[in-house]
Amino acid sequence: MNIHCPACGSKQVITRNLGKKTAGTIGIAGGAYAGFIGAANGARTGAHIGVVSGPVGLTLGTLGGSILGALIGATSGGVTGAKLGERIDKTVLDNFHCKQCGHSFSESE
Ligand SMILES: [Zn+2]
Protein backbone atom coordinates (compact mmCIF):
# COMPACT_ATOMS: atom_id res chain seq x y z
CA MET A 1 0.00 0.00 0.00
CA ASN A 2 1.37 3.39 -1.00
CA ILE A 3 -0.77 5.91 0.86
CA HIS A 4 0.59 8.91 2.67
CA CYS A 5 -1.07 10.79 5.51
CA PRO A 6 -2.31 14.16 4.19
CA ALA A 7 -1.64 15.79 7.58
CA CYS A 8 1.93 14.70 8.37
CA GLY A 9 3.05 12.81 5.24
CA SER A 10 3.75 9.60 7.16
CA LYS A 11 3.56 6.19 5.46
CA GLN A 12 2.35 4.61 8.70
CA VAL A 13 -1.23 4.40 7.44
CA ILE A 14 -3.63 1.57 8.21
CA THR A 15 -7.06 0.73 6.77
CA ARG A 16 -9.95 0.44 9.18
CA ASN A 17 -12.58 -1.29 6.97
CA LEU A 18 -15.31 -0.37 9.45
CA GLY A 19 -18.06 -0.34 6.83
CA LYS A 20 -16.99 -3.70 5.43
CA LYS A 21 -17.05 -5.38 8.84
CA THR A 22 -20.34 -3.79 9.92
CA ALA A 23 -22.18 -4.33 6.64
CA GLY A 24 -20.86 -7.89 6.42
CA THR A 25 -22.25 -8.72 9.85
CA ILE A 26 -25.60 -7.10 9.06
CA GLY A 27 -25.70 -8.94 5.73
CA ILE A 28 -25.08 -12.30 7.42
CA ALA A 29 -27.85 -11.71 9.98
CA GLY A 30 -30.30 -10.35 7.39
CA GLY A 31 -29.49 -13.10 4.91
CA ALA A 32 -29.94 -15.83 7.52
CA TYR A 33 -33.27 -14.33 8.51
CA ALA A 34 -34.47 -14.04 4.90
CA GLY A 35 -33.29 -17.58 4.17
CA PHE A 36 -35.06 -18.88 7.25
CA ILE A 37 -38.31 -17.13 6.31
CA GLY A 38 -38.10 -18.56 2.79
CA ALA A 39 -37.44 -22.01 4.19
CA ALA A 40 -40.35 -21.65 6.62
CA ASN A 41 -42.68 -20.80 3.75
CA GLY A 42 -41.41 -23.82 1.84
CA ALA A 43 -41.87 -25.99 4.90
CA ARG A 44 -45.48 -24.84 5.21
CA THR A 45 -46.14 -25.87 1.62
CA GLY A 46 -44.36 -29.16 2.28
CA ALA A 47 -46.52 -29.75 5.33
CA HIS A 48 -49.61 -30.09 3.14
CA ILE A 49 -47.87 -32.68 0.97
CA GLY A 50 -46.29 -34.30 4.07
CA VAL A 51 -49.75 -35.11 5.49
CA VAL A 52 -50.03 -37.64 2.66
CA SER A 53 -46.41 -38.89 2.55
CA GLY A 54 -45.92 -39.43 6.34
CA PRO A 55 -44.60 -37.61 9.43
CA VAL A 56 -40.93 -38.75 9.19
CA GLY A 57 -40.41 -37.38 5.70
CA LEU A 58 -42.20 -34.19 6.72
CA THR A 59 -39.94 -33.59 9.76
CA LEU A 60 -36.71 -34.32 7.86
CA GLY A 61 -37.77 -32.14 4.94
CA THR A 62 -38.76 -29.25 7.17
CA LEU A 63 -35.54 -29.34 9.24
CA GLY A 64 -33.24 -29.78 6.24
CA GLY A 65 -34.99 -27.04 4.31
CA SER A 66 -34.84 -24.58 7.18
CA ILE A 67 -31.13 -25.14 7.94
CA LEU A 68 -30.11 -25.10 4.29
CA GLY A 69 -32.18 -21.98 3.63
CA ALA A 70 -30.62 -20.15 6.57
CA LEU A 71 -27.07 -21.18 5.55
CA ILE A 72 -27.51 -20.11 1.93
CA GLY A 73 -29.14 -16.87 3.03
CA ALA A 74 -26.34 -16.11 5.51
CA THR A 75 -23.61 -16.77 2.95
CA SER A 76 -25.11 -14.68 0.15
CA GLY A 77 -26.17 -11.96 2.58
CA GLY A 78 -22.68 -11.81 4.08
CA VAL A 79 -21.01 -11.53 0.67
CA THR A 80 -23.45 -8.83 -0.45
CA GLY A 81 -23.01 -6.94 2.81
CA ALA A 82 -19.21 -7.10 2.61
CA LYS A 83 -19.23 -5.78 -0.96
CA LEU A 84 -21.59 -2.98 0.01
CA GLY A 85 -19.45 -2.13 3.05
CA GLU A 86 -16.31 -2.08 0.91
CA ARG A 87 -17.98 0.53 -1.28
CA ILE A 88 -19.02 2.54 1.80
CA ASP A 89 -15.45 2.39 3.12
CA LYS A 90 -14.06 3.72 -0.16
CA THR A 91 -16.60 6.48 -0.72
CA VAL A 92 -18.18 7.62 2.55
CA LEU A 93 -16.12 6.77 5.63
CA ASP A 94 -12.65 7.92 6.55
CA ASN A 95 -11.18 4.49 5.96
CA PHE A 96 -7.51 5.36 6.50
CA HIS A 97 -5.93 6.05 9.85
CA CYS A 98 -2.48 7.49 10.41
CA LYS A 99 -0.53 5.74 13.16
CA GLN A 100 1.91 8.63 13.31
CA CYS A 101 -0.44 11.54 14.12
CA GLY A 102 -3.86 9.87 14.52
CA HIS A 103 -5.43 11.62 11.53
CA SER A 104 -8.30 9.78 9.78
CA PHE A 105 -8.98 10.39 6.11
CA SER A 106 -10.64 8.90 3.03
CA GLU A 107 -9.13 7.79 -0.25
CA SER A 108 -10.22 10.87 -2.16
CA GLU A 109 -8.32 13.31 0.09
ZN1 LIG B 1 -0.39 11.62 9.99
Side-chain angles (χ1 to χ4, degrees):
M1 197 166 59
N2 198 18
I3 293 157
H4 299 254
C5 173
C8 72
S10 167
K11 286 182 182 176
Q12 298 277 310
V13 172
I14 54 165
T15 50
R16 299 195 295 178
N17 292 329
L18 277 178
K20 190 177 181 180
K21 285 172 195 162
T22 310
T25 309
I26 293 168
I28 287 168
Y33 183 72
F36 190 76
I37 295 298
N41 286 337
R44 203 178 305 140
T45 311
H48 293 290
I49 305 159
V51 174
V52 183
S53 64
V56 178
L58 171 67
T59 309
L60 286 176
T62 306
L63 271 178
S66 301
I67 294 166
L68 200 68
L71 278 177
I72 291 169
T75 306
S76 60
V79 169
T80 309
K83 278 182 185 165
L84 184 74
E86 216 171 66
R87 187 159 286 195
I88 293 170
D89 279 335
K90 281 184 180 168
T91 54
V92 182
L93 299 175
D94 290 339
N95 193 37
F96 298 105
H97 182 78
C98 176
K99 291 205 294 192
Q100 195 78 28
C101 71
H103 181 66
S104 291
F105 57 100
S106 60
E107 210 166 16
S108 55
E109 251 183 274

